[in-house]
Each structure stands twice: as structure tokens, then as C-alpha cells.
Amino acid sequence: MIRIALLGNSHLENWKRAWDSLGKSHPDIDLVFFAAPGAQLECCEARGDRLVFKDDEVARSVEITSGGRRELVAADYDALCVVGLGGGIRAVTGLYSGWRADAHKGEEGRFQLVSDACFLDAVGDRLKASPAMVLVGKLRQITDQKIWLAPTPAPSEILLTLDKSPEAIELAAAATDAASLRAAYDEACRRLEDDNLILLEQPKATLATPLLSKKEYRRRSWTAPDWMHLNDAYGRMVIREFLSRLHPSLDGPGDGDPSRGLLGALRSRFSLLSIRRSSEN
């Protein structure tokens, strides 16, 4: 059995919903979900070889989503992945609302002009301060194994239809420099990577623009439009990408058919544990 721990917030929901169907075809993989709303997982504490969730409310949430666990023991898992918890595209669009780099063309609003290098460094600082990276830091205190990071996906393009939304105004203003901002964000994310941190990028096929996700991937809501969360179709894509990058031989046929190599590869725990960095490419 290959056991993978996924830690995150509400952005783990589409992973869970997708795995409810995909997992039936892959009985040799066990995804364990450690989830709590917002940034609450930040309150966990590294104690020896485990993460302990100190806050009772967070511990109860984790207990429900993980199937009864109230702490995470790193040695119990073959891979660790942090999902959501900030670190998304708003790290750059929020900065753009008050700052412009030399390469930017947008002149709307009041802003401070800075160098391209300064702007990129500021984006990187915002990512490093995200709850996701705080959690990565705590995981590094209990294990030296590789940690995967799947940043919060870009908001849905339906956001632009919400005229009174501050976020919609922010994204609309950034549209002029969308490609440049995306490039800065991607570079800042890549700079986070090292020998023990691997970035799991949002699949490009799910993007409507450099800054927004396609509307068909948004999570449906019976109340106000949900532009923040994506659906289980997105979850299926990102899970398949994640599993294929864990080891090149893990890329299945796409429909979850276990008869074509995936389970055979998963039976080799040694192969998974000896992942080389070259498997990212």
C-alpha cells in the first residue's frame, strides 16, 4: 500500500471528491486528507516525529477528514503534499494594485514604481509568508523527505462578472499585464523549490487567462457564485498529474484503468521512495 498525506484547507475538497471515484480503481494507493478551514492548520506544532494539531476545533476537523487521526506521523506516509493555504495568484495581483514594475504597462490607479527585480522579490516574500509555506516549514522539522506543494489555484473567470467584488476590480485592473504577472508568479514559485520541495503547478489546460481559471472548472454553488474553489473535474486532473510526477511510470491511461501499468508501478514501494529529482520533468 502506498500512503500519501494531503494537508490543506477547503481547496482539498475537489481532490477528495475526485478521489472518491478515482480511488476505487487504485486500491494500492491510500490518500489521507488532513484538512481544516482557512489557514487553521498553521496552529499545528512539530513534536518529535509528528505534527500535533493543538486547537480542539482544528483537531476535530482533521479527525473527521483523515478517518480518525488527530496527529500526523511523517514515517507513516510515502509522500506529503500541502494543498491550497494561500500561495496563489493573488500573491502577485494583490501586489500589483499598489506597485508596478518597470516592465508593466498598466497606468491605472495610484502606485509606486519599482524595478522588476524588486517586484519579483516582493512576490517571493509574499509566497514565503503564506500559511502553506509555514506548514512546509513545520513538516521539515519532522521529516527530511520531499514535500510537494500545490498552491491555491487561480480564481474562476466568473469573478469578472461580479462588478462590486474587490477581487474582481483587482483582477480586471491587472488584465493589462496578465502575462507579465503570471511570469513573475511562476518564477517566484520556482524559486521556492529546492531539493526537498517540489511545486505542483496548476494544469495550464485549466486556465482561461494567465490569471484566471476556466469557468467550467468552478465549483457549482446554489447560493452566491463560488469563484474561489474549483470542482472535481479539476481535482481529477491535478491528482493524475501529481501521481505521474511522483514517478514517471505512475502516469496511468487517464481513465483510471488499473490494467495498464499503474498498479504494477505502485507495488514497488522502493521505486517510490527512491524518486530522483529528474522525475519532475
Side-chain angles (χ1 to χ4, degrees):
M1 174 68 70
I2 302 300
R3 183 168 288 112
I4 301 169
L6 301 170
L7 304 90
N9 54 10
S10 56
H11 290 285
L12 261 180
E13 182 186 6
N14 58 60
W15 289 58
K16 177 63 170 65
R17 289 170 61 89
W19 190 245
D20 284 345
S21 57
L22 287 176
K24 295 174 183 177
S25 299
H26 306 313
D28 284 359
I29 308 175
D30 183 19
L31 299 190
V32 182
F33 296 82
F34 293 81
Q40 294 183 30
L41 284 189
E42 274 190 304
C43 75
C44 67
E45 180 179 292
R47 294 183 185 172
D49 64 347
R50 65 197 62 206
L51 284 186
V52 177
F53 302 96
K54 301 180 296 179
D55 181 88
D56 287 341
E57 183 178 347
V58 174
R60 284 194 296 270
S61 179
V62 165
E63 186 175 22
I64 292 170
T65 61
S66 68
R69 300 166 178 83
R70 293 179 68 94
E71 58 186 24
L72 183 152
V73 180
D76 290 344
Y77 301 94
D78 302 296
L80 303 168
C81 182
V82 175
V83 179
L85 291 170
I89 197 67
R90 291 198 65 198
V92 68
T93 59
L95 192 64
Y96 182 83
S97 63
W99 303 83
R100 297 287 195 281
D102 292 334
H104 296 154
K105 299 177 181 178
E107 298 181 352
E108 299 83 3
R110 300 180 62 182
F111 56 85
Q112 178 71 41
L113 184 64
V114 298
S115 68
D116 294 331
C118 178
F119 190 87
L120 180 58
D121 286 344
V123 175
D125 288 343
R126 288 167 70 94
L127 292 176
K128 291 174 185 176
S130 69
M133 288 302 296
V134 171
L135 185 55
V136 167
K138 292 181 179 182
L139 287 171
R140 282 175 163 163
Q141 295 178 45
I142 66 169
T143 182
D144 59 0
Q145 68 173 288
K146 296 180 187 294
I147 299 169
W148 292 76
L149 174 62
T152 301
S156 170
E157 60 184 326
I158 67 162
L159 176 61
L160 297 182
T161 67
L162 308 178
D163 296 334
K164 296 182 179 180
S165 166
E167 294 85 1
I169 296 171
E170 177 183 288
L171 267 294
T176 301
D177 288 304
S180 176
L181 291 171
R182 184 76 207 194
Y185 171 74
D186 289 344
E187 176 60 23
C189 285
R190 280 190 288 269
R191 292 186 180 188
L192 293 178
E193 289 190 287
D194 57 32
D195 290 341
N196 290 312
L197 180 64
I198 305 172
L199 183 70
L200 188 64
E201 299 174 349
Q202 178 171 354
K204 288 182 171 54
T206 66
L207 291 172
T209 75
L211 304 178
L212 296 166
S213 297
K214 293 178 179 178
K215 60 185 177 182
E216 57 261 39
Y217 292 105
R218 75 178 179 91
R219 184 175 68 180
R220 300 291 178 179
S221 173
W222 294 108
T223 54
D226 187 347
W227 51 266
M228 294 179 60
H229 299 94
L230 303 187
N231 58 24
D232 54 334
Y234 175 83
R236 284 192 294 272
M237 290 185 67
V238 75
I239 286 175
R240 285 169 176 150
E241 173 71 9
F242 175 46
L243 294 179
S244 71
R245 289 185 60 193
L246 276 174
H247 194 282
S249 60
L250 297 187
D251 58 343
D255 58 0
D257 181 0
S259 65
R260 290 181 52 192
L262 178 58
L263 290 182
L266 290 173
R267 292 189 182 101
S268 177
R269 179 177 295 244
F270 175 80
S271 294
L272 182 60
L273 294 176
S274 62
I275 295 169
R276 294 180 177 273
R277 185 151 180 90
S278 62
S279 68
E280 301 169 41
N281 300 321

